[in-house]
Amino acid sequence: MVRKTLIAGNWKMNGLLDDGIALAKGVGAEFKKTGRRDCEVLVCPPFTLLTSVKKAIKGTRVQLGAQDCHFESKGAHTGDVSPVMLKDLGCQYVIVGHSERRTNHGESNELISKKAAAAIEAGLKVIICIGETEQERDAGKTIDVCTKQIMGSVPQNATDKNTVIAYEPVWAIGTGKTPTTKDVEDVHAAIRKVLAKKCGRAVANKMRILYGGSMKPTNAKELLALPDVDGGLIGGASLKVADFAAIIEASK
Ligand code: 13P
């Protein structure tokens, strides 16, 4: 397999010091026990926990990521965090363009592309999120929406080594609803075709496309077994050690 599975936990705005550290330690211990080298495991805690989680996962091969970044390296941007700062702190990854940022913070494809380009430039790997709303899906626009998002938010410096795409249908996030496995595979295959246009076929074939949206231990195996699904971006189920460990196990 040219594409190494990535199981990523997006903790969103969850976790205080004690429970965040306990969760990170638990995930680290579980992943270490597996001894697996055929998959990558990543946790993306809120900014406030990055330093503590970094310590908690030391020596476990679990990687560290942030959930967003600015596109500038430094300067007068109150409340923002730069990719250079994240790299300096020890992050390997950063998520950009999550639907919650697109919706709640009005982030455009153009802005997301700038963030992703800057993060790559800073030496981080980016997870660029895309996905349609329920209304867009009902109107049969899923592929159109994903195509526009990829063309607009994947930057010029993206390669399979520094960029991962996460397909997260907005209506499946935190709802317990998931598309059928056929729909997931169809959309992922379509995304790979669009990536081939954007980045070239060789890069597209090696670029990982994660599925996200109500992935849990009970549905992970069938989703992760799909040929164009190269891992998962997990919200709710990444907040419980047992659930996240079960999803890692399901990726075998
Ligand atoms: P849930 O797994 O809670 O549906 O969240 C998915 C997600 O948004 C991950 O980024």
PDB file of all heavy atoms in Angstrom, residues 8-12 95 98-100 127 129 166 168-178 211-216 232-239 247, ligand 1:
ATOM      1  N   ALA A   8      -6.752  10.078  12.769  1.00  0.00           N
ATOM      2  CA  ALA A   8      -6.542  11.372  13.414  1.00  0.00           C
ATOM      3  C   ALA A   8      -7.726  11.731  14.297  1.00  0.00           C
ATOM      4  O   ALA A   8      -8.878  11.623  13.882  1.00  0.00           O
ATOM      5  CB  ALA A   8      -6.340  12.447  12.341  1.00  0.00           C
ATOM      6  N   GLY A   9      -7.410  12.171  15.507  1.00  0.00           N
ATOM      7  CA  GLY A   9      -8.461  12.598  16.431  1.00  0.00           C
ATOM      8  C   GLY A   9      -8.517  14.115  16.482  1.00  0.00           C
ATOM      9  O   GLY A   9      -7.501  14.766  16.766  1.00  0.00           O
ATOM     10  N   ASN A  10      -9.676  14.674  16.169  1.00  0.00           N
ATOM     11  CA  ASN A  10      -9.887  16.121  16.283  1.00  0.00           C
ATOM     12  C   ASN A  10     -10.696  16.351  17.560  1.00  0.00           C
ATOM     13  O   ASN A  10     -11.894  16.093  17.582  1.00  0.00           O
ATOM     14  CB  ASN A  10     -10.645  16.623  15.041  1.00  0.00           C
ATOM     15  CG  ASN A  10     -11.022  18.089  15.156  1.00  0.00           C
ATOM     16  OD1 ASN A  10     -10.593  18.783  16.082  1.00  0.00           O
ATOM     17  ND2 ASN A  10     -11.828  18.567  14.215  1.00  0.00           N
ATOM     18  N   TRP A  11     -10.012  16.813  18.577  1.00  0.00           N
ATOM     19  CA  TRP A  11     -10.687  16.970  19.880  1.00  0.00           C
ATOM     20  C   TRP A  11     -11.610  18.179  19.909  1.00  0.00           C
ATOM     21  O   TRP A  11     -12.371  18.360  20.854  1.00  0.00           O
ATOM     22  CB  TRP A  11      -9.655  17.102  20.995  1.00  0.00           C
ATOM     23  CG  TRP A  11      -8.808  15.880  21.245  1.00  0.00           C
ATOM     24  CD1 TRP A  11      -8.788  14.717  20.493  1.00  0.00           C
ATOM     25  CD2 TRP A  11      -7.863  15.679  22.311  1.00  0.00           C
ATOM     26  NE1 TRP A  11      -7.883  13.825  21.025  1.00  0.00           N
ATOM     27  CE2 TRP A  11      -7.307  14.385  22.151  1.00  0.00           C
ATOM     28  CE3 TRP A  11      -7.431  16.456  23.376  1.00  0.00           C
ATOM     29  CZ2 TRP A  11      -6.342  13.864  23.027  1.00  0.00           C
ATOM     30  CZ3 TRP A  11      -6.468  15.940  24.246  1.00  0.00           C
ATOM     31  CH2 TRP A  11      -5.938  14.656  24.073  1.00  0.00           C
ATOM     32  N   LYS A  12     -11.510  19.045  18.909  1.00  0.00           N
ATOM     33  CA  LYS A  12     -12.308  20.277  18.865  1.00  0.00           C
ATOM     34  C   LYS A  12     -12.111  21.072  20.171  1.00  0.00           C
ATOM     35  O   LYS A  12     -11.030  21.020  20.754  1.00  0.00           O
ATOM     36  CB  LYS A  12     -13.777  19.959  18.574  1.00  0.00           C
ATOM     37  CG  LYS A  12     -13.906  19.082  17.314  1.00  0.00           C
ATOM     38  CD  LYS A  12     -15.287  18.949  16.789  1.00  0.00           C
ATOM     39  CE  LYS A  12     -15.266  18.087  15.524  1.00  0.00           C
ATOM     40  NZ  LYS A  12     -16.565  17.937  14.908  1.00  0.00           N
ATOM     41  N   ILE A  95      -4.784  21.014  11.090  1.00  0.00           N
ATOM     42  CA  ILE A  95      -6.041  20.910  10.323  1.00  0.00           C
ATOM     43  C   ILE A  95      -6.383  22.313   9.820  1.00  0.00           C
ATOM     44  O   ILE A  95      -6.282  23.276  10.581  1.00  0.00           O
ATOM     45  CB  ILE A  95      -7.187  20.417  11.236  1.00  0.00           C
ATOM     46  CG1 ILE A  95      -6.887  19.013  11.791  1.00  0.00           C
ATOM     47  CG2 ILE A  95      -8.524  20.435  10.489  1.00  0.00           C
ATOM     48  CD1 ILE A  95      -7.861  18.575  12.904  1.00  0.00           C
ATOM     49  N   HIS A  98     -11.707  23.217   8.426  1.00  0.00           N
ATOM     50  CA  HIS A  98     -12.778  22.385   8.981  1.00  0.00           C
ATOM     51  C   HIS A  98     -14.113  23.085   8.763  1.00  0.00           C
ATOM     52  O   HIS A  98     -14.191  24.318   8.805  1.00  0.00           O
ATOM     53  CB  HIS A  98     -12.535  22.143  10.476  1.00  0.00           C
ATOM     54  CG  HIS A  98     -13.433  21.073  11.016  1.00  0.00           C
ATOM     55  ND1 HIS A  98     -14.744  21.321  11.346  1.00  0.00           N
ATOM     56  CD2 HIS A  98     -13.223  19.755  11.247  1.00  0.00           C
ATOM     57  CE1 HIS A  98     -15.297  20.186  11.763  1.00  0.00           C
ATOM     58  NE2 HIS A  98     -14.398  19.222  11.719  1.00  0.00           N
ATOM     59  N   SER A  99     -15.158  22.324   8.565  1.00  0.00           N
ATOM     60  CA  SER A  99     -16.464  22.942   8.248  1.00  0.00           C
ATOM     61  C   SER A  99     -16.927  23.865   9.375  1.00  0.00           C
ATOM     62  O   SER A  99     -17.621  24.849   9.133  1.00  0.00           O
ATOM     63  CB  SER A  99     -17.522  21.879   7.973  1.00  0.00           C
ATOM     64  OG  SER A  99     -17.897  21.252   9.165  1.00  0.00           O
ATOM     65  N   GLU A 100     -16.503  23.544  10.615  1.00  0.00           N
ATOM     66  CA  GLU A 100     -16.903  24.423  11.722  1.00  0.00           C
ATOM     67  C   GLU A 100     -16.218  25.785  11.617  1.00  0.00           C
ATOM     68  O   GLU A 100     -16.758  26.784  12.086  1.00  0.00           O
ATOM     69  CB  GLU A 100     -16.610  23.725  13.057  1.00  0.00           C
ATOM     70  CG  GLU A 100     -17.633  22.618  13.318  1.00  0.00           C
ATOM     71  CD  GLU A 100     -17.108  21.421  14.086  1.00  0.00           C
ATOM     72  OE1 GLU A 100     -16.059  21.521  14.738  1.00  0.00           O
ATOM     73  OE2 GLU A 100     -17.772  20.354  14.012  1.00  0.00           O
ATOM     74  N   ILE A 127      -3.978  18.984   7.012  1.00  0.00           N
ATOM     75  CA  ILE A 127      -5.188  18.201   6.707  1.00  0.00           C
ATOM     76  C   ILE A 127      -6.228  19.219   6.265  1.00  0.00           C
ATOM     77  O   ILE A 127      -6.684  20.038   7.068  1.00  0.00           O
ATOM     78  CB  ILE A 127      -5.682  17.418   7.940  1.00  0.00           C
ATOM     79  CG1 ILE A 127      -4.604  16.429   8.407  1.00  0.00           C
ATOM     80  CG2 ILE A 127      -6.988  16.683   7.613  1.00  0.00           C
ATOM     81  CD1 ILE A 127      -4.972  15.631   9.651  1.00  0.00           C
ATOM     82  N   CYS A 129      -9.827  20.148   5.062  1.00  0.00           N
ATOM     83  CA  CYS A 129     -11.159  19.550   5.138  1.00  0.00           C
ATOM     84  C   CYS A 129     -12.094  20.109   4.063  1.00  0.00           C
ATOM     85  O   CYS A 129     -12.094  21.314   3.796  1.00  0.00           O
ATOM     86  CB  CYS A 129     -11.793  19.809   6.498  1.00  0.00           C
ATOM     87  SG  CYS A 129     -10.810  19.202   7.877  1.00  0.00           S
ATOM     88  N   ALA A 166      -9.367  15.665   3.983  1.00  0.00           N
ATOM     89  CA  ALA A 166     -10.385  14.981   4.797  1.00  0.00           C
ATOM     90  C   ALA A 166     -11.757  15.303   4.216  1.00  0.00           C
ATOM     91  O   ALA A 166     -12.142  16.475   4.157  1.00  0.00           O
ATOM     92  CB  ALA A 166     -10.302  15.424   6.247  1.00  0.00           C
ATOM     93  N   GLU A 168     -15.404  15.371   4.832  1.00  0.00           N
ATOM     94  CA  GLU A 168     -16.322  15.337   5.968  1.00  0.00           C
ATOM     95  C   GLU A 168     -17.665  15.941   5.542  1.00  0.00           C
ATOM     96  O   GLU A 168     -17.812  17.169   5.528  1.00  0.00           O
ATOM     97  CB  GLU A 168     -15.766  16.161   7.128  1.00  0.00           C
ATOM     98  CG  GLU A 168     -14.416  15.697   7.631  1.00  0.00           C
ATOM     99  CD  GLU A 168     -14.159  16.135   9.068  1.00  0.00           C
ATOM    100  OE1 GLU A 168     -14.173  17.342   9.362  1.00  0.00           O
ATOM    101  OE2 GLU A 168     -13.972  15.246   9.906  1.00  0.00           O
ATOM    102  N   PRO A 169     -18.621  15.091   5.175  1.00  0.00           N
ATOM    103  CA  PRO A 169     -19.941  15.629   4.848  1.00  0.00           C
ATOM    104  C   PRO A 169     -20.474  16.363   6.081  1.00  0.00           C
ATOM    105  O   PRO A 169     -20.505  15.782   7.173  1.00  0.00           O
ATOM    106  CB  PRO A 169     -20.790  14.385   4.558  1.00  0.00           C
ATOM    107  CG  PRO A 169     -19.870  13.210   4.564  1.00  0.00           C
ATOM    108  CD  PRO A 169     -18.583  13.614   5.197  1.00  0.00           C
ATOM    109  N   VAL A 170     -20.838  17.627   5.910  1.00  0.00           N
ATOM    110  CA  VAL A 170     -21.202  18.454   7.069  1.00  0.00           C
ATOM    111  C   VAL A 170     -22.353  17.821   7.854  1.00  0.00           C
ATOM    112  O   VAL A 170     -22.360  17.825   9.089  1.00  0.00           O
ATOM    113  CB  VAL A 170     -21.570  19.884   6.595  1.00  0.00           C
ATOM    114  CG1 VAL A 170     -21.989  20.762   7.766  1.00  0.00           C
ATOM    115  CG2 VAL A 170     -20.376  20.525   5.879  1.00  0.00           C
ATOM    116  N   TRP A 171     -23.292  17.222   7.128  1.00  0.00           N
ATOM    117  CA  TRP A 171     -24.479  16.631   7.763  1.00  0.00           C
ATOM    118  C   TRP A 171     -24.153  15.358   8.541  1.00  0.00           C
ATOM    119  O   TRP A 171     -24.997  14.869   9.300  1.00  0.00           O
ATOM    120  CB  TRP A 171     -25.557  16.361   6.700  1.00  0.00           C
ATOM    121  CG  TRP A 171     -25.034  15.530   5.552  1.00  0.00           C
ATOM    122  CD1 TRP A 171     -24.407  15.983   4.430  1.00  0.00           C
ATOM    123  CD2 TRP A 171     -25.062  14.112   5.455  1.00  0.00           C
ATOM    124  NE1 TRP A 171     -24.023  14.933   3.635  1.00  0.00           N
ATOM    125  CE2 TRP A 171     -24.428  13.771   4.234  1.00  0.00           C
ATOM    126  CE3 TRP A 171     -25.555  13.078   6.268  1.00  0.00           C
ATOM    127  CZ2 TRP A 171     -24.275  12.455   3.818  1.00  0.00           C
ATOM    128  CZ3 TRP A 171     -25.406  11.771   5.844  1.00  0.00           C
ATOM    129  CH2 TRP A 171     -24.780  11.471   4.631  1.00  0.00           C
ATOM    130  N   ALA A 172     -22.962  14.839   8.367  1.00  0.00           N
ATOM    131  CA  ALA A 172     -22.581  13.611   9.091  1.00  0.00           C
ATOM    132  C   ALA A 172     -21.766  13.919  10.346  1.00  0.00           C
ATOM    133  O   ALA A 172     -21.500  13.034  11.156  1.00  0.00           O
ATOM    134  CB  ALA A 172     -21.773  12.700   8.168  1.00  0.00           C
ATOM    135  N   ILE A 173     -21.375  15.195  10.499  1.00  0.00           N
ATOM    136  CA  ILE A 173     -20.514  15.555  11.637  1.00  0.00           C
ATOM    137  C   ILE A 173     -21.326  15.669  12.917  1.00  0.00           C
ATOM    138  O   ILE A 173     -22.251  16.483  13.010  1.00  0.00           O
ATOM    139  CB  ILE A 173     -19.761  16.883  11.358  1.00  0.00           C
ATOM    140  CG1 ILE A 173     -18.797  16.704  10.177  1.00  0.00           C
ATOM    141  CG2 ILE A 173     -19.019  17.362  12.605  1.00  0.00           C
ATOM    142  CD1 ILE A 173     -18.083  17.975   9.735  1.00  0.00           C
ATOM    143  N   GLY A 174     -21.001  14.804  13.867  1.00  0.00           N
ATOM    144  CA  GLY A 174     -21.639  14.855  15.186  1.00  0.00           C
ATOM    145  C   GLY A 174     -23.108  14.481  15.191  1.00  0.00           C
ATOM    146  O   GLY A 174     -23.811  14.735  16.169  1.00  0.00           O
ATOM    147  N   THR A 175     -23.596  13.886  14.107  1.00  0.00           N
ATOM    148  CA  THR A 175     -25.034  13.589  14.008  1.00  0.00           C
ATOM    149  C   THR A 175     -25.351  12.104  14.168  1.00  0.00           C
ATOM    150  O   THR A 175     -26.507  11.735  14.326  1.00  0.00           O
ATOM    151  CB  THR A 175     -25.573  14.012  12.623  1.00  0.00           C
ATOM    152  OG1 THR A 175     -24.817  13.311  11.618  1.00  0.00           O
ATOM    153  CG2 THR A 175     -25.446  15.504  12.413  1.00  0.00           C
ATOM    154  N   GLY A 176     -24.319  11.268  14.063  1.00  0.00           N
ATOM    155  CA  GLY A 176     -24.562   9.827  14.074  1.00  0.00           C
ATOM    156  C   GLY A 176     -24.965   9.310  12.701  1.00  0.00           C
ATOM    157  O   GLY A 176     -25.119   8.108  12.496  1.00  0.00           O
ATOM    158  N   LYS A 177     -25.147  10.227  11.743  1.00  0.00           N
ATOM    159  CA  LYS A 177     -25.512   9.812  10.368  1.00  0.00           C
ATOM    160  C   LYS A 177     -24.236   9.667   9.550  1.00  0.00           C
ATOM    161  O   LYS A 177     -23.309  10.457   9.685  1.00  0.00           O
ATOM    162  CB  LYS A 177     -26.370  10.879   9.694  1.00  0.00           C
ATOM    163  CG  LYS A 177     -27.745  11.026  10.298  1.00  0.00           C
ATOM    164  CD  LYS A 177     -28.618  11.862   9.376  1.00  0.00           C
ATOM    165  CE  LYS A 177     -28.846  13.243   9.922  1.00  0.00           C
ATOM    166  NZ  LYS A 177     -29.624  14.122   9.057  1.00  0.00           N
ATOM    167  N   THR A 178     -24.204   8.655   8.684  1.00  0.00           N
ATOM    168  CA  THR A 178     -23.071   8.531   7.752  1.00  0.00           C
ATOM    169  C   THR A 178     -23.619   8.223   6.362  1.00  0.00           C
ATOM    170  O   THR A 178     -24.694   7.631   6.242  1.00  0.00           O
ATOM    171  CB  THR A 178     -22.106   7.382   8.149  1.00  0.00           C
ATOM    172  OG1 THR A 178     -22.870   6.202   8.386  1.00  0.00           O
ATOM    173  CG2 THR A 178     -21.288   7.717   9.367  1.00  0.00           C
ATOM    174  N   TYR A 211     -11.787   9.896   5.688  1.00  0.00           N
ATOM    175  CA  TYR A 211     -13.223  10.133   5.856  1.00  0.00           C
ATOM    176  C   TYR A 211     -13.457  10.639   7.277  1.00  0.00           C
ATOM    177  O   TYR A 211     -12.854  10.135   8.235  1.00  0.00           O
ATOM    178  CB  TYR A 211     -14.048   8.850   5.630  1.00  0.00           C
ATOM    179  CG  TYR A 211     -15.473   9.099   6.055  1.00  0.00           C
ATOM    180  CD1 TYR A 211     -16.338   9.804   5.218  1.00  0.00           C
ATOM    181  CD2 TYR A 211     -15.918   8.749   7.338  1.00  0.00           C
ATOM    182  CE1 TYR A 211     -17.609  10.144   5.647  1.00  0.00           C
ATOM    183  CE2 TYR A 211     -17.190   9.085   7.766  1.00  0.00           C
ATOM    184  CZ  TYR A 211     -18.027   9.784   6.912  1.00  0.00           C
ATOM    185  OH  TYR A 211     -19.285  10.134   7.340  1.00  0.00           O
ATOM    186  N   GLY A 212     -14.332  11.625   7.427  1.00  0.00           N
ATOM    187  CA  GLY A 212     -14.721  12.094   8.756  1.00  0.00           C
ATOM    188  C   GLY A 212     -16.213  12.363   8.813  1.00  0.00           C
ATOM    189  O   GLY A 212     -16.824  12.787   7.817  1.00  0.00           O
ATOM    190  N   GLY A 213     -16.798  12.145   9.972  1.00  0.00           N
ATOM    191  CA  GLY A 213     -18.238  12.362  10.165  1.00  0.00           C
ATOM    192  C   GLY A 213     -18.855  11.135  10.795  1.00  0.00           C
ATOM    193  O   GLY A 213     -19.102  10.148  10.113  1.00  0.00           O
ATOM    194  N   SER A 214     -19.016  11.201  12.130  1.00  0.00           N
ATOM    195  CA  SER A 214     -19.635  10.102  12.880  1.00  0.00           C
ATOM    196  C   SER A 214     -18.941   8.753  12.675  1.00  0.00           C
ATOM    197  O   SER A 214     -19.585   7.708  12.657  1.00  0.00           O
ATOM    198  CB  SER A 214     -21.127   9.986  12.549  1.00  0.00           C
ATOM    199  OG  SER A 214     -21.795  11.166  12.949  1.00  0.00           O
ATOM    200  N   MET A 215     -17.613   8.782  12.518  1.00  0.00           N
ATOM    201  CA  MET A 215     -16.900   7.505  12.497  1.00  0.00           C
ATOM    202  C   MET A 215     -16.790   7.010  13.930  1.00  0.00           C
ATOM    203  O   MET A 215     -16.466   7.773  14.838  1.00  0.00           O
ATOM    204  CB  MET A 215     -15.513   7.631  11.875  1.00  0.00           C
ATOM    205  CG  MET A 215     -14.857   6.269  11.676  1.00  0.00           C
ATOM    206  SD  MET A 215     -13.176   6.344  11.001  1.00  0.00           S
ATOM    207  CE  MET A 215     -13.504   6.456   9.256  1.00  0.00           C
ATOM    208  N   LYS A 216     -17.099   5.748  14.136  1.00  0.00           N
ATOM    209  CA  LYS A 216     -17.038   5.164  15.475  1.00  0.00           C
ATOM    210  C   LYS A 216     -16.631   3.693  15.383  1.00  0.00           C
ATOM    211  O   LYS A 216     -16.549   3.162  14.264  1.00  0.00           O
ATOM    212  CB  LYS A 216     -18.367   5.352  16.210  1.00  0.00           C
ATOM    213  CG  LYS A 216     -19.600   5.212  15.363  1.00  0.00           C
ATOM    214  CD  LYS A 216     -20.854   5.541  16.160  1.00  0.00           C
ATOM    215  CE  LYS A 216     -22.087   5.255  15.334  1.00  0.00           C
ATOM    216  NZ  LYS A 216     -22.552   6.415  14.582  1.00  0.00           N
ATOM    217  N   GLY A 232      -9.101   8.070   8.919  1.00  0.00           N
ATOM    218  CA  GLY A 232     -10.273   8.762   9.440  1.00  0.00           C
ATOM    219  C   GLY A 232      -9.897  10.017  10.201  1.00  0.00           C
ATOM    220  O   GLY A 232      -8.805  10.105  10.779  1.00  0.00           O
ATOM    221  N   LEU A 233     -10.811  11.000  10.161  1.00  0.00           N
ATOM    222  CA  LEU A 233     -10.689  12.185  11.017  1.00  0.00           C
ATOM    223  C   LEU A 233     -11.876  12.095  11.975  1.00  0.00           C
ATOM    224  O   LEU A 233     -13.033  12.194  11.551  1.00  0.00           O
ATOM    225  CB  LEU A 233     -10.717  13.471  10.179  1.00  0.00           C
ATOM    226  CG  LEU A 233     -10.525  14.783  10.951  1.00  0.00           C
ATOM    227  CD1 LEU A 233      -9.242  14.794  11.763  1.00  0.00           C
ATOM    228  CD2 LEU A 233     -10.521  15.978   9.987  1.00  0.00           C
ATOM    229  N   ILE A 234     -11.563  11.873  13.229  1.00  0.00           N
ATOM    230  CA  ILE A 234     -12.587  11.466  14.183  1.00  0.00           C
ATOM    231  C   ILE A 234     -12.788  12.534  15.245  1.00  0.00           C
ATOM    232  O   ILE A 234     -11.822  12.981  15.869  1.00  0.00           O
ATOM    233  CB  ILE A 234     -12.164  10.115  14.825  1.00  0.00           C
ATOM    234  CG1 ILE A 234     -12.070   9.047  13.726  1.00  0.00           C
ATOM    235  CG2 ILE A 234     -13.162   9.663  15.890  1.00  0.00           C
ATOM    236  CD1 ILE A 234     -10.707   8.488  13.547  1.00  0.00           C
ATOM    237  N   GLY A 235     -14.025  12.927  15.449  1.00  0.00           N
ATOM    238  CA  GLY A 235     -14.349  13.921  16.456  1.00  0.00           C
ATOM    239  C   GLY A 235     -14.734  13.247  17.760  1.00  0.00           C
ATOM    240  O   GLY A 235     -13.874  12.843  18.554  1.00  0.00           O
ATOM    241  N   GLY A 236     -16.025  13.099  17.987  1.00  0.00           N
ATOM    242  CA  GLY A 236     -16.551  12.575  19.250  1.00  0.00           C
ATOM    243  C   GLY A 236     -15.858  11.312  19.750  1.00  0.00           C
ATOM    244  O   GLY A 236     -15.489  11.224  20.927  1.00  0.00           O
ATOM    245  N   ALA A 237     -15.671  10.357  18.859  1.00  0.00           N
ATOM    246  CA  ALA A 237     -15.098   9.068  19.281  1.00  0.00           C
ATOM    247  C   ALA A 237     -13.596   9.155  19.566  1.00  0.00           C
ATOM    248  O   ALA A 237     -13.004   8.190  20.050  1.00  0.00           O
ATOM    249  CB  ALA A 237     -15.378   7.993  18.232  1.00  0.00           C
ATOM    250  N   SER A 238     -12.983  10.321  19.301  1.00  0.00           N
ATOM    251  CA  SER A 238     -11.555  10.447  19.637  1.00  0.00           C
ATOM    252  C   SER A 238     -11.373  10.934  21.074  1.00  0.00           C
ATOM    253  O   SER A 238     -10.255  11.047  21.556  1.00  0.00           O
ATOM    254  CB  SER A 238     -10.849  11.408  18.672  1.00  0.00           C
ATOM    255  OG  SER A 238     -11.190  12.756  18.936  1.00  0.00           O
ATOM    256  N   LEU A 239     -12.497  11.211  21.743  1.00  0.00           N
ATOM    257  CA  LEU A 239     -12.420  11.730  23.116  1.00  0.00           C
ATOM    258  C   LEU A 239     -12.480  10.613  24.155  1.00  0.00           C
ATOM    259  O   LEU A 239     -12.437  10.874  25.355  1.00  0.00           O
ATOM    260  CB  LEU A 239     -13.553  12.728  23.362  1.00  0.00           C
ATOM    261  CG  LEU A 239     -13.523  13.991  22.487  1.00  0.00           C
ATOM    262  CD1 LEU A 239     -14.782  14.817  22.680  1.00  0.00           C
ATOM    263  CD2 LEU A 239     -12.276  14.832  22.778  1.00  0.00           C
ATOM    264  N   ILE A 247     -11.006   2.163  16.905  1.00  0.00           N
ATOM    265  CA  ILE A 247     -10.943   2.624  15.512  1.00  0.00           C
ATOM    266  C   ILE A 247      -9.550   2.360  14.920  1.00  0.00           C
ATOM    267  O   ILE A 247      -9.426   1.925  13.778  1.00  0.00           O
ATOM    268  CB  ILE A 247     -11.355   4.114  15.413  1.00  0.00           C
ATOM    269  CG1 ILE A 247     -12.843   4.258  15.788  1.00  0.00           C
ATOM    270  CG2 ILE A 247     -11.096   4.660  14.003  1.00  0.00           C
ATOM    271  CD1 ILE A 247     -13.342   5.688  15.894  1.00  0.00           C
TER     272      ILE A 247
HETATM  273  P1  13P B   1     -17.590  13.508  14.667  1.00  0.00           P
HETATM  274  O1  13P B   1     -16.694  12.294  14.572  1.00  0.00           O
HETATM  275  O2  13P B   1     -17.911  13.907  16.057  1.00  0.00           O
HETATM  276  O3  13P B   1     -18.795  13.361  13.777  1.00  0.00           O
HETATM  277  O4  13P B   1     -16.741  14.739  14.073  1.00  0.00           O
HETATM  278  C1  13P B   1     -16.110  14.599  12.864  1.00  0.00           C
HETATM  279  C2  13P B   1     -15.243  15.783  12.643  1.00  0.00           C
HETATM  280  O5  13P B   1     -15.713  16.879  12.460  1.00  0.00           O
HETATM  281  C3  13P B   1     -13.787  15.582  12.709  1.00  0.00           C
HETATM  282  O6  13P B   1     -13.105  16.690  12.239  1.00  0.00           O
END
